[in-house]
């Protein structure tokens, strides 16, 4: 059975919005896009590559899928992340019927809970959820998350979309790993108990 891991880059105050570039996710007037770039280092790059070994599928929300397809299919296969993303099966949770053009991408069929439970029951390895803030909230509510892989940045933004936006009930987590990077980012791995 596969596990489902949420992989997120966060500020210390929990903001996950606008990591990559100045124009990345400006919803709500967010003006701090690109906050993550100065903190990337070789330790994080190595962790990302290590995570590819167990990832057998990706699950994205519609907006994250659109953001990803705008960049990754055009990257060369000499980039290990691009090669993995482009060849690995991808599922997109969307209420808007559409045909997907990225290689091995499929619209998640049916209601979220039963569809993801079915995906988890098929095969081995990990289903990785990258970004996809709205989807993550729904996965948490459906009790479908098995683990969190968080890259906690030493930065307070004060505004922006947060990963944890209110839980229906307390949830205990077990710390699996904690690794600091050269830029002050702390890579945290938690399993849901």
């Amino acid at each position: 059975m596969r596990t489902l891991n949420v992989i997120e880059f966060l500020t210390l105050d929990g903001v996950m919005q606008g990591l990559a570039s100045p124009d990345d996710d400006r919803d709500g007037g967010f003006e701090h896009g690109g906050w993550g770039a100065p903190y990337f280092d070789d330790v994080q790059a190595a962790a990302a590559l290590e995570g590819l070994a167990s990832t057998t599928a990706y699950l994205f929300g519609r907006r994250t899928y659109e953001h990803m397809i705008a960049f990754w299919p055009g990257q060369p296969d000499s980039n290990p992340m691009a090669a993995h993303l482009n060849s690995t099966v991808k599922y997109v949770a969307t209420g808007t019927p559409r045909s997907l053009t990225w290689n091995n991408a499929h619209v998640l069929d049916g209601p979220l809970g039963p569809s993801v439970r079915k995906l988890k029951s098929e095969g081995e390895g990990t289903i990785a959820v990258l970004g996809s803030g709205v989807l993550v909230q729904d996965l948490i509510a459906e009790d479908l998350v098995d683990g969190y892989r968080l890259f906690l940045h030493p930065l307070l933004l004060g505004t922006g979309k947060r990963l944890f936006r209110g839980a229906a009930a307390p949830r205990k987590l077990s710390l699996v790993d904690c690794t600091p990077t050269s830029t002050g980012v702390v890579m945290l791995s938690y399993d849901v108990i």
Side-chain angles (χ1 to χ4, degrees):
M1 183 162 176
R2 288 194 276 204
T3 58
L4 188 142
N5 286 332
V6 169
I7 302 166
E8 300 291 352
F9 294 79
L10 307 169
T11 64
L12 191 58
D13 55 347
V15 174
M16 63 181 286
Q17 182 176 1
L19 166 78
S21 69
D23 293 326
D24 188 14
D25 192 355
R26 304 213 25 131
D27 280 2
F30 187 72
E31 297 180 359
H32 306 295
W35 56 263
Y39 296 96
F40 192 74
D41 70 356
D42 291 341
V43 176
Q44 292 176 68
L49 293 178
E50 184 180 314
L52 298 179
S54 65
T55 300
T56 58
Y58 292 94
L59 176 59
F60 301 122
R62 178 192 52 81
R63 289 184 62 192
T64 298
Y65 170 81
E66 290 171 354
H67 181 74
M68 300 290 271
I69 195 173
F71 179 77
W72 288 107
Q75 300 306 303
D77 281 347
S78 58
N79 176 326
M81 186 71 180
H84 196 269
L85 278 165
N86 291 329
S87 65
T88 302
V89 66
K90 294 161 281 293
Y91 297 96
V92 181
T94 178
T96 307
R98 63 184 58 233
S99 60
L100 305 177
T101 58
W102 199 358
N103 183 46
N104 288 328
H106 310 277
V107 172
L108 193 62
D109 190 30
L112 183 67
S115 296
V116 173
R117 284 183 188 87
K118 183 177 183 224
L119 287 180
K120 288 174 70 172
S121 71
E122 299 171 343
E124 300 293 323
T126 300
I127 300 169
V129 180
L130 307 175
S132 306
V134 172
L135 172 61
V136 170
Q137 302 312 304
D138 293 338
L139 293 168
I140 292 169
E142 290 273 351
D143 197 26
L144 293 167
V145 177
D146 298 302
Y148 295 94
R149 306 303 175 247
L150 307 176
F151 293 73
L152 188 62
H153 291 65
L155 177 65
L156 300 171
L157 290 179
T159 63
K161 298 174 192 170
R162 282 157 170 80
L163 174 60
F164 299 107
R165 303 175 192 174
R171 256 340 269 264
K172 289 189 176 186
L173 306 175
S174 173
L175 180 64
V176 176
D177 189 46
C178 176
T179 304
T181 73
S182 66
T183 59
V185 173
V186 180
M187 301 184 306
L188 301 164
S189 293
Y190 291 98
D191 285 345
V192 176
I193 300 174

